[in-house]
PDB file of all heavy atoms in Angstrom:
ATOM      1  N   TYR A 341     136.650  49.634 123.825  1.00  0.00           N
ATOM      2  CA  TYR A 341     135.860  50.391 122.775  1.00  0.00           C
ATOM      3  C   TYR A 341     134.392  50.528 123.362  1.00  0.00           C
ATOM      4  O   TYR A 341     133.691  51.503 122.934  1.00  0.00           O
ATOM      5  CB  TYR A 341     135.790  49.796 121.480  1.00  0.00           C
ATOM      6  CG  TYR A 341     137.079  49.981 120.647  1.00  0.00           C
ATOM      7  CD1 TYR A 341     137.892  48.925 120.331  1.00  0.00           C
ATOM      8  CD2 TYR A 341     137.455  51.232 120.352  1.00  0.00           C
ATOM      9  CE1 TYR A 341     139.104  49.088 119.589  1.00  0.00           C
ATOM     10  CE2 TYR A 341     138.641  51.503 119.628  1.00  0.00           C
ATOM     11  CZ  TYR A 341     139.410  50.503 119.325  1.00  0.00           C
ATOM     12  OH  TYR A 341     140.599  50.703 118.548  1.00  0.00           O
ATOM     13  N   LEU A 381     147.220  56.854 137.558  1.00  0.00           N
ATOM     14  CA  LEU A 381     148.182  56.020 138.263  1.00  0.00           C
ATOM     15  C   LEU A 381     149.495  56.114 137.500  1.00  0.00           C
ATOM     16  O   LEU A 381     150.044  55.316 136.735  1.00  0.00           O
ATOM     17  CB  LEU A 381     147.730  54.526 138.101  1.00  0.00           C
ATOM     18  CG  LEU A 381     146.337  54.287 138.775  1.00  0.00           C
ATOM     19  CD1 LEU A 381     145.863  52.795 138.515  1.00  0.00           C
ATOM     20  CD2 LEU A 381     146.407  54.468 140.245  1.00  0.00           C
ATOM     21  N   ALA A 410     158.071  61.713 129.077  1.00  0.00           N
ATOM     22  CA  ALA A 410     158.316  63.099 129.035  1.00  0.00           C
ATOM     23  C   ALA A 410     157.051  63.829 129.332  1.00  0.00           C
ATOM     24  O   ALA A 410     157.032  64.783 130.195  1.00  0.00           O
ATOM     25  CB  ALA A 410     158.782  63.596 127.672  1.00  0.00           C
ATOM     26  N   GLU A 424     164.885  66.229 128.884  1.00  0.00           N
ATOM     27  CA  GLU A 424     165.810  65.198 128.599  1.00  0.00           C
ATOM     28  C   GLU A 424     165.103  64.101 127.754  1.00  0.00           C
ATOM     29  O   GLU A 424     165.652  63.631 126.824  1.00  0.00           O
ATOM     30  CB  GLU A 424     166.479  64.599 129.859  1.00  0.00           C
ATOM     31  CG  GLU A 424     167.556  63.594 129.560  1.00  0.00           C
ATOM     32  CD  GLU A 424     168.141  63.029 130.884  1.00  0.00           C
ATOM     33  OE1 GLU A 424     167.896  63.594 131.958  1.00  0.00           O
ATOM     34  OE2 GLU A 424     168.978  62.018 130.836  1.00  0.00           O
ATOM     35  N   LEU A 429     164.181  61.490 121.902  1.00  0.00           N
ATOM     36  CA  LEU A 429     163.475  60.923 120.686  1.00  0.00           C
ATOM     37  C   LEU A 429     164.184  61.127 119.503  1.00  0.00           C
ATOM     38  O   LEU A 429     164.938  62.030 119.097  1.00  0.00           O
ATOM     39  CB  LEU A 429     162.087  61.769 120.649  1.00  0.00           C
ATOM     40  CG  LEU A 429     161.205  61.734 121.841  1.00  0.00           C
ATOM     41  CD1 LEU A 429     160.060  62.667 121.713  1.00  0.00           C
ATOM     42  CD2 LEU A 429     160.800  60.284 122.194  1.00  0.00           C
ATOM     43  N   ASN A 436     152.592  62.100 113.860  1.00  0.00           N
ATOM     44  CA  ASN A 436     151.569  62.864 114.602  1.00  0.00           C
ATOM     45  C   ASN A 436     151.952  63.188 116.129  1.00  0.00           C
ATOM     46  O   ASN A 436     151.295  63.982 116.786  1.00  0.00           O
ATOM     47  CB  ASN A 436     150.282  61.888 114.654  1.00  0.00           C
ATOM     48  CG  ASN A 436     150.558  60.535 115.344  1.00  0.00           C
ATOM     49  OD1 ASN A 436     151.335  59.823 114.833  1.00  0.00           O
ATOM     50  ND2 ASN A 436     149.801  60.252 116.413  1.00  0.00           N
ATOM     51  N   SER A 446     158.816  73.706 123.606  1.00  0.00           N
ATOM     52  CA  SER A 446     158.725  75.225 123.632  1.00  0.00           C
ATOM     53  C   SER A 446     158.205  75.718 124.989  1.00  0.00           C
ATOM     54  O   SER A 446     158.648  76.705 125.492  1.00  0.00           O
ATOM     55  CB  SER A 446     157.867  75.703 122.480  1.00  0.00           C
ATOM     56  OG  SER A 446     156.505  75.356 122.652  1.00  0.00           O
ATOM     57  N   GLN A 540     135.924  92.661 118.816  1.00  0.00           N
ATOM     58  CA  GLN A 540     134.765  92.295 118.051  1.00  0.00           C
ATOM     59  C   GLN A 540     134.970  90.951 117.301  1.00  0.00           C
ATOM     60  O   GLN A 540     134.071  90.351 116.738  1.00  0.00           O
ATOM     61  CB  GLN A 540     134.422  93.416 117.026  1.00  0.00           C
ATOM     62  CG  GLN A 540     133.780  94.607 117.610  1.00  0.00           C
ATOM     63  CD  GLN A 540     133.567  95.765 116.667  1.00  0.00           C
ATOM     64  OE1 GLN A 540     134.199  95.822 115.607  1.00  0.00           O
ATOM     65  NE2 GLN A 540     132.673  96.634 116.986  1.00  0.00           N
ATOM     66  N   GLY A 555     136.104  94.434 127.815  1.00  0.00           N
ATOM     67  CA  GLY A 555     137.199  95.184 127.131  1.00  0.00           C
ATOM     68  C   GLY A 555     136.632  96.039 125.991  1.00  0.00           C
ATOM     69  O   GLY A 555     137.064  97.156 125.770  1.00  0.00           O
ATOM     70  N   SER A 561     134.985 103.452 125.821  1.00  0.00           N
ATOM     71  CA  SER A 561     135.187 104.540 126.824  1.00  0.00           C
ATOM     72  C   SER A 561     136.412 105.398 126.655  1.00  0.00           C
ATOM     73  O   SER A 561     136.395 106.662 126.839  1.00  0.00           O
ATOM     74  CB  SER A 561     135.104 103.882 128.243  1.00  0.00           C
ATOM     75  OG  SER A 561     135.237 104.894 129.208  1.00  0.00           O
ATOM     76  N   GLU A 588     132.709  93.836 137.277  1.00  0.00           N
ATOM     77  CA  GLU A 588     133.315  95.162 136.913  1.00  0.00           C
ATOM     78  C   GLU A 588     132.341  95.927 136.066  1.00  0.00           C
ATOM     79  O   GLU A 588     132.294  97.179 136.158  1.00  0.00           O
ATOM     80  CB  GLU A 588     134.663  94.874 136.171  1.00  0.00           C
ATOM     81  CG  GLU A 588     135.366  96.091 135.870  1.00  0.00           C
ATOM     82  CD  GLU A 588     136.802  95.867 135.200  1.00  0.00           C
ATOM     83  OE1 GLU A 588     137.281  94.773 135.561  1.00  0.00           O
ATOM     84  OE2 GLU A 588     137.356  96.769 134.613  1.00  0.00           O
ATOM     85  N   SER A 612     122.435  99.586 142.984  1.00  0.00           N
ATOM     86  CA  SER A 612     122.084  98.298 142.491  1.00  0.00           C
ATOM     87  C   SER A 612     123.364  97.454 142.438  1.00  0.00           C
ATOM     88  O   SER A 612     123.405  96.222 142.794  1.00  0.00           O
ATOM     89  CB  SER A 612     121.533  98.277 141.112  1.00  0.00           C
ATOM     90  OG  SER A 612     120.237  98.994 141.152  1.00  0.00           O
TER      91      SER A 612
END
Side-chain angles (χ1 to χ4, degrees):
Y341 285 118
L381 301 173
E424 184 179 349
L429 301 174
N436 60 301
S446 69
Q540 287 176 337
S561 183
E588 187 171 337
S612 295

